[in-house]
Protein backbone atom coordinates (compact mmCIF):
# COMPACT_ATOMS: atom_id res chain seq x y z
CA UNK A 1 0.00 0.00 0.00
CA UNK A 2 2.89 2.34 0.85
CA UNK A 3 4.66 2.11 -2.44
CA UNK A 4 3.35 1.04 -5.84
CA UNK A 5 3.97 -2.66 -6.45
CA UNK A 6 5.81 -3.06 -9.72
CA UNK A 7 6.51 -6.78 -9.58
CA UNK A 8 4.62 -9.78 -8.26
CA UNK A 9 4.61 -9.83 -4.44
CA UNK A 10 6.64 -12.51 -2.67
CA UNK A 11 3.99 -14.71 -1.08
CA UNK A 12 4.95 -17.14 1.68
CA UNK A 13 2.60 -20.04 1.03
CA UNK A 14 4.83 -22.95 2.06
CA UNK A 15 8.30 -23.61 3.42
CA UNK A 16 9.79 -23.65 -0.07
CA UNK A 17 8.47 -20.16 -0.80
CA UNK A 18 11.88 -19.10 0.55
CA UNK A 19 14.97 -20.33 -1.26
CA UNK A 20 17.75 -21.97 0.73
CA UNK A 21 19.66 -18.66 0.86
CA UNK A 22 16.54 -16.62 1.67
CA UNK A 23 15.56 -18.88 4.56
CA UNK A 24 19.09 -18.55 5.98
CA UNK A 25 18.85 -14.73 5.74
CA UNK A 26 15.50 -14.70 7.56
CA UNK A 27 16.86 -16.92 10.33
CA UNK A 28 19.95 -14.73 10.79
CA UNK A 29 17.65 -11.71 10.96
CA UNK A 30 15.54 -13.59 13.53
CA UNK A 31 18.56 -13.83 15.84
CA UNK A 32 19.27 -10.13 15.32
CA UNK A 33 15.58 -9.37 15.97
CA UNK A 34 15.82 -11.08 19.32
CA UNK A 35 18.83 -8.92 20.29
CA UNK A 36 17.24 -5.67 19.03
CA UNK A 37 13.46 -6.13 19.10
CA UNK A 38 12.14 -2.59 18.74
CA UNK A 39 12.48 -1.34 15.14
CA UNK A 40 10.94 0.91 12.52
CA UNK A 41 10.88 -1.41 9.50
CA UNK A 42 7.07 -1.42 9.30
CA UNK A 43 6.59 2.25 10.13
CA UNK A 44 3.49 3.60 8.38
CA UNK A 45 2.63 0.10 7.17
CA UNK A 46 -0.45 -1.93 8.09
CA UNK A 47 -0.77 -5.71 8.18
CA UNK A 48 -4.07 -7.59 7.99
CA UNK A 49 -3.92 -10.69 10.23
CA UNK A 50 -6.86 -12.95 9.39
CA UNK A 51 -8.07 -16.08 11.15
CA UNK A 52 -10.41 -18.72 9.76
CA UNK A 53 -9.29 -21.06 12.58
CA UNK A 54 -8.56 -20.50 16.27
CA UNK A 55 -5.13 -19.41 17.52
CA UNK A 56 -3.18 -18.23 20.54
CA UNK A 57 0.51 -18.07 19.53
CA UNK A 58 0.02 -16.93 15.94
CA UNK A 59 -2.48 -14.25 16.88
CA UNK A 60 -0.42 -12.74 19.70
CA UNK A 61 2.98 -13.08 18.05
CA UNK A 62 1.91 -11.38 14.81
CA UNK A 63 -0.03 -8.64 16.60
CA UNK A 64 2.83 -7.84 19.00
CA UNK A 65 5.43 -8.35 16.28
CA UNK A 66 3.93 -5.84 13.84
CA UNK A 67 3.58 -3.38 16.70
CA UNK A 68 7.26 -3.82 17.70
CA UNK A 69 8.29 -3.12 14.09
CA UNK A 70 6.42 0.17 14.19
CA UNK A 71 3.49 -1.03 12.07
CA UNK A 72 -0.25 -1.28 12.54
CA UNK A 73 -1.70 -4.80 12.98
CA UNK A 74 -5.38 -5.38 12.13
CA UNK A 75 -6.52 -8.72 13.53
CA UNK A 76 -9.82 -10.03 12.17
CA UNK A 77 -11.65 -13.32 12.72
CA UNK A 78 -13.26 -14.62 9.55
CA UNK A 79 -16.66 -14.72 11.22
CA UNK A 80 -16.45 -10.93 11.55
CA UNK A 81 -15.73 -10.16 7.88
CA UNK A 82 -17.41 -10.78 4.52
CA UNK A 83 -14.49 -12.88 3.32
CA UNK A 84 -15.29 -16.38 2.09
CA UNK A 85 -18.99 -16.00 2.72
CA UNK A 86 -20.50 -12.93 1.08
CA UNK A 87 -17.33 -12.16 -0.88
CA UNK A 88 -14.81 -14.28 -2.78
CA UNK A 89 -11.15 -14.53 -1.74
CA UNK A 90 -10.29 -12.87 -5.06
CA UNK A 91 -12.39 -9.80 -4.28
CA UNK A 92 -11.06 -9.74 -0.72
CA UNK A 93 -7.46 -9.82 -2.02
CA UNK A 94 -8.13 -6.92 -4.36
CA UNK A 95 -9.77 -4.83 -1.64
CA UNK A 96 -7.26 -5.56 1.14
CA UNK A 97 -4.40 -4.64 -1.22
CA UNK A 98 -5.82 -1.12 -1.39
CA UNK A 99 -5.56 -0.77 2.41
CA UNK A 100 -2.74 -2.85 3.82
CA UNK A 101 0.87 -3.71 3.00
CA UNK A 102 0.72 -7.44 3.76
CA UNK A 103 -1.84 -10.10 4.59
CA UNK A 104 -1.17 -12.80 7.16
CA UNK A 105 -3.81 -15.51 6.92
CA UNK A 106 -4.69 -18.71 8.79
CA UNK A 107 -7.10 -20.70 6.68
CA UNK A 108 -8.21 -24.23 5.75
CA UNK A 109 -7.68 -25.27 2.15
CA UNK A 110 -4.28 -24.32 0.72
CA UNK A 111 -6.06 -23.29 -2.49
CA UNK A 112 -7.65 -20.37 -0.61
CA UNK A 113 -4.25 -18.66 -0.49
CA UNK A 114 -3.82 -19.04 -4.24
CA UNK A 115 -7.33 -17.70 -4.81
CA UNK A 116 -6.53 -14.52 -2.89
CA UNK A 117 -3.16 -14.25 -4.64
CA UNK A 118 -4.93 -13.99 -8.01
CA UNK A 119 -5.74 -10.39 -7.15
CA UNK A 120 -3.53 -9.42 -4.17
CA UNK A 121 -0.76 -6.98 -4.95
CA UNK A 122 0.78 -7.29 -1.47
CA UNK A 123 2.54 -10.32 0.07
CA UNK A 124 0.35 -13.01 1.64
CA UNK A 125 1.88 -15.01 4.50
CA UNK A 126 0.42 -18.42 5.33
CA UNK A 127 -0.18 -18.48 9.10
CA UNK A 128 -1.21 -22.18 8.88
CA UNK A 129 -3.43 -23.99 6.44
CA UNK A 130 -4.41 -27.65 6.16
CA UNK A 131 -1.18 -28.43 4.28
CA UNK A 132 1.57 -26.23 5.80
CA UNK A 133 2.63 -24.05 8.74
CA UNK A 134 5.77 -22.27 7.47
CA UNK A 135 5.88 -19.59 10.18
CA UNK A 136 6.10 -22.29 12.84
CA UNK A 137 8.97 -23.95 11.02
CA UNK A 138 10.98 -20.70 10.96
CA UNK A 139 10.49 -20.46 14.74
CA UNK A 140 11.53 -24.09 15.19
CA UNK A 141 14.67 -23.61 13.10
CA UNK A 142 15.54 -20.48 15.08
CA UNK A 143 15.17 -22.51 18.27
CA UNK A 144 17.38 -25.32 16.98
CA UNK A 145 19.96 -22.77 15.83
CA UNK A 146 20.03 -21.35 19.36
CA UNK A 147 20.24 -24.74 21.05
CA UNK A 148 22.49 -26.61 18.63
CA UNK A 149 24.41 -23.97 16.66
CA UNK A 150 24.80 -24.96 13.03
CA UNK A 151 21.61 -26.36 11.48
CA UNK A 152 23.34 -28.49 8.87
CA UNK A 153 23.68 -32.08 9.97
CA UNK A 154 21.27 -31.80 12.91
CA UNK A 155 19.11 -34.95 13.10
CA UNK A 156 15.40 -34.39 13.77
CA UNK A 157 12.68 -37.00 14.12
CA UNK A 158 8.99 -36.06 13.97
CA UNK A 159 6.61 -38.72 15.29
CA UNK A 160 2.86 -39.13 15.03
CA UNK A 161 0.51 -37.78 12.40
CA UNK A 162 2.86 -37.67 9.45
CA UNK A 163 0.15 -36.51 7.08
CA UNK A 164 -0.67 -33.19 8.72
CA UNK A 165 0.43 -29.60 8.05
CA UNK A 166 3.34 -29.73 10.50
CA UNK A 167 4.80 -32.92 9.04
CA UNK A 168 4.68 -31.46 5.52
CA UNK A 169 6.31 -28.27 6.71
CA UNK A 170 9.01 -30.13 8.64
CA UNK A 171 9.87 -32.06 5.48
CA UNK A 172 10.04 -28.95 3.31
CA UNK A 173 11.46 -26.41 5.77
CA UNK A 174 13.98 -28.62 7.54
CA UNK A 175 15.47 -30.00 4.31
CA UNK A 176 15.76 -26.39 3.12
CA UNK A 177 17.85 -25.66 6.22
CA UNK A 178 19.99 -28.77 5.76
CA UNK A 179 18.46 -30.48 8.80
CA UNK A 180 18.08 -34.26 8.43
CA UNK A 181 14.42 -35.03 8.99
CA UNK A 182 12.73 -38.37 9.61
CA UNK A 183 8.95 -38.71 9.70
CA UNK A 184 7.98 -41.69 11.88
CA UNK A 185 4.33 -42.56 11.36
CA UNK A 186 2.19 -45.67 10.98
CA UNK A 187 0.51 -46.68 7.77
CA UNK A 188 -2.43 -44.41 7.03
CA UNK A 189 -0.68 -41.47 8.73
CA UNK A 190 2.31 -41.09 6.42
CA UNK A 191 2.90 -38.03 4.22
CA UNK A 192 1.49 -37.82 0.72
CA UNK A 193 4.03 -38.67 -1.97
CA UNK A 194 3.64 -35.22 -3.61
CA UNK A 195 4.94 -33.54 -0.44
CA UNK A 196 7.79 -36.05 -0.08
CA UNK A 197 8.79 -35.44 -3.70
CA UNK A 198 8.72 -31.69 -3.19
CA UNK A 199 10.89 -31.94 -0.07
CA UNK A 200 13.34 -34.24 -1.86
CA UNK A 201 14.09 -31.43 -4.29
CA UNK A 202 15.25 -29.32 -1.36
CA UNK A 203 17.10 -32.25 0.23
CA UNK A 204 19.02 -32.73 -3.04
CA UNK A 205 19.93 -29.05 -2.99
CA UNK A 206 21.20 -28.94 0.60
CA UNK A 207 22.38 -32.52 1.11
CA UNK A 208 19.90 -33.07 3.95
CA UNK A 209 18.41 -36.53 4.35
CA UNK A 210 14.66 -37.12 4.29
CA UNK A 211 13.24 -40.43 5.53
CA UNK A 212 9.73 -41.74 6.18
CA UNK A 213 9.66 -44.75 8.51
CA UNK A 214 6.91 -46.87 10.05
CA UNK A 215 8.48 -47.32 13.49
CA UNK A 216 8.89 -44.88 16.43
CA UNK A 217 12.69 -44.94 16.17
CA UNK A 218 14.57 -41.89 17.48
CA UNK A 219 18.00 -43.47 17.81
CA UNK A 220 20.64 -40.74 17.86
CA UNK A 221 18.16 -37.90 17.23
CA UNK A 222 19.22 -34.40 18.30
CA UNK A 223 15.65 -33.13 18.13
CA UNK A 224 12.47 -35.11 18.85
CA UNK A 225 9.21 -33.52 17.69
CA UNK A 226 5.53 -34.34 17.76
CA UNK A 227 2.21 -32.61 17.17
CA UNK A 228 -1.45 -33.16 17.97
CA UNK A 229 -3.06 -36.31 16.60
CA UNK A 230 -6.20 -34.35 15.67
CA UNK A 231 -5.50 -31.12 13.81
CA UNK A 232 -7.94 -28.24 13.50
CA UNK A 233 -10.69 -29.02 11.05
CA UNK A 234 -10.35 -32.81 11.50
CA UNK A 235 -13.08 -35.04 12.91
CA UNK A 236 -12.65 -34.92 16.71
CA UNK A 237 -13.54 -38.64 16.83
CA UNK A 238 -10.77 -39.58 14.39
CA UNK A 239 -9.40 -43.06 15.15
CA UNK A 240 -5.87 -42.46 16.45
CA UNK A 241 -5.28 -45.94 17.93
CA UNK A 242 -2.41 -46.61 15.50
CA UNK A 243 -0.62 -43.49 16.75
CA UNK A 244 -0.39 -44.61 20.38
CA UNK A 245 2.93 -46.39 19.88
CA UNK A 246 4.33 -43.13 18.55
CA UNK A 247 3.67 -41.24 21.78
CA UNK A 248 6.78 -39.38 22.96
CA UNK A 249 7.42 -40.65 26.48
CA UNK A 250 10.47 -40.86 28.72
CA UNK A 251 11.45 -44.32 27.41
CA UNK A 252 11.41 -43.10 23.82
CA UNK A 253 13.43 -39.98 24.71
CA UNK A 254 16.09 -42.18 26.32
CA UNK A 255 16.88 -43.58 22.84
CA UNK A 256 17.63 -40.13 21.44
CA UNK A 257 21.02 -38.39 21.74
CA UNK A 258 21.94 -37.60 25.37
CA UNK A 259 21.51 -33.86 24.74
CA UNK A 260 18.38 -34.20 22.57
CA UNK A 261 15.67 -31.56 22.90
CA UNK A 262 11.91 -32.06 22.67
CA UNK A 263 9.82 -29.71 20.51
CA UNK A 264 6.08 -29.27 19.93
CA UNK A 265 4.39 -26.38 18.12
CA UNK A 266 1.60 -26.35 20.74
CA UNK A 267 -1.21 -26.64 21.68
CA UNK A 268 -0.23 -30.03 23.16
CA UNK A 269 -2.35 -32.85 24.54
CA UNK A 270 -0.54 -34.41 27.49
CA UNK A 271 -1.23 -38.14 27.64
CA UNK A 272 -1.81 -38.38 23.87
CA UNK A 273 1.09 -37.45 21.58
CA UNK A 274 3.42 -36.63 24.52
CA UNK A 275 3.60 -37.43 28.21
CA UNK A 276 3.58 -34.66 30.80
CA UNK A 277 6.97 -35.95 31.98
CA UNK A 278 8.56 -35.12 28.62
CA UNK A 279 6.86 -31.85 27.71
CA UNK A 280 7.25 -30.49 31.24
CA UNK A 281 10.68 -32.07 31.69
CA UNK A 282 14.25 -30.76 31.34
CA UNK A 283 14.66 -31.57 27.65
CA UNK A 284 11.58 -29.68 26.55
CA UNK A 285 12.16 -26.36 24.75
CA UNK A 286 8.52 -25.79 23.80
CA UNK A 287 8.17 -22.37 25.40
CA UNK A 288 11.39 -21.06 23.83
CA UNK A 289 9.96 -22.42 20.58
CA UNK A 290 6.69 -20.55 21.19
CA UNK A 291 8.56 -17.30 21.96
CA UNK A 292 10.56 -17.65 18.78
CA UNK A 293 7.36 -17.34 16.75
CA UNK A 294 7.58 -13.63 17.56
CA UNK A 295 11.21 -13.17 16.50
CA UNK A 296 11.03 -15.38 13.40
CA UNK A 297 7.85 -13.75 12.07
CA UNK A 298 9.17 -10.24 12.69
CA UNK A 299 12.26 -11.24 10.74
CA UNK A 300 10.11 -12.57 7.91
CA UNK A 301 8.04 -9.38 7.72
CA UNK A 302 11.07 -7.09 7.88
CA UNK A 303 12.80 -9.20 5.22
CA UNK A 304 9.74 -9.02 2.95
CA UNK A 305 9.85 -5.19 3.09
CA UNK A 306 13.57 -4.82 2.51
N1 LIG B 1 1.56 -23.24 17.12
C1 LIG B 1 0.55 -22.44 16.77
O1 LIG B 1 0.38 -22.05 15.60
O2 LIG B 1 -0.25 -22.08 17.80
P1 LIG B 1 -1.65 -21.34 17.69
O3 LIG B 1 -2.62 -22.30 17.04
O4 LIG B 1 -2.04 -21.03 19.10
O5 LIG B 1 -1.49 -20.11 16.86
N1 LIG C 1 -1.41 -29.59 13.29
C1 LIG C 1 -1.98 -28.60 14.17
C2 LIG C 1 -1.04 -27.46 14.35
C3 LIG C 1 -1.53 -26.40 15.30
C4 LIG C 1 -0.62 -25.22 15.41
C5 LIG C 1 -3.30 -28.13 13.64
O1 LIG C 1 -3.40 -27.85 12.44
O2 LIG C 1 -4.26 -28.04 14.42
Amino acid sequence: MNSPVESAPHHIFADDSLSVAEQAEVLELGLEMKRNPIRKSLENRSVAILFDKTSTRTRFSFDVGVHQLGGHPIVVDSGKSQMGKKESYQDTGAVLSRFVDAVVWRTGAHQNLHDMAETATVPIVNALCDDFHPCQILADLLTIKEKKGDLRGVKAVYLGDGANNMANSYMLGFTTAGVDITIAAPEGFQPEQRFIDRAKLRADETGATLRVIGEPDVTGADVVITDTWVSMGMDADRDTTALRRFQVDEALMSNAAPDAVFMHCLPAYRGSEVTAGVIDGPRSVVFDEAENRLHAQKALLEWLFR
Side-chain angles (χ1 to χ4, degrees), residues 54-118:
T54 52
S55 167
T56 298
R57 277 146 291 273
T58 307
R59 170 180 292 256
F60 281 88
S61 56
F62 268 111
D63 192 336
V64 170
V66 171
H67 176 74
Q68 290 183 352
L69 294 176
H72 172 48
I74 306 161
V75 182
V76 176
D77 289 311
S78 65
K80 301 275 168 58
S81 81
Q82 318 288 16
M83 180 173 89
K85 294 179 293 291
K86 293 183 174 175
E87 196 163 36
S88 68
Y89 296 129
Q90 286 86 346
D91 281 1
T92 307
V95 170
L96 289 182
S97 297
R98 304 292 178 105
F99 298 135
V100 302
D101 301 278
V103 175
V104 172
W105 187 14
R106 169 166 289 192
T107 190
H110 186 69
Q111 181 60 38
N112 295 346
L113 296 155
H114 287 278
D115 289 350
M116 188 180 281
E118 284 178 24

Side-chain angles (χ1 to χ4, degrees), residues 53 106 128 133 164-166 227-228 230-232 265-267:
K53 294 178 173 180
R106 169 166 289 192
L128 179 148
H133 196 1
N164 73 6
N165 42 16
M166 288 306 304
D227 183 24
T228 180
V230 185
S231 287
M232 289 181 275
C265 65
L266 306 177

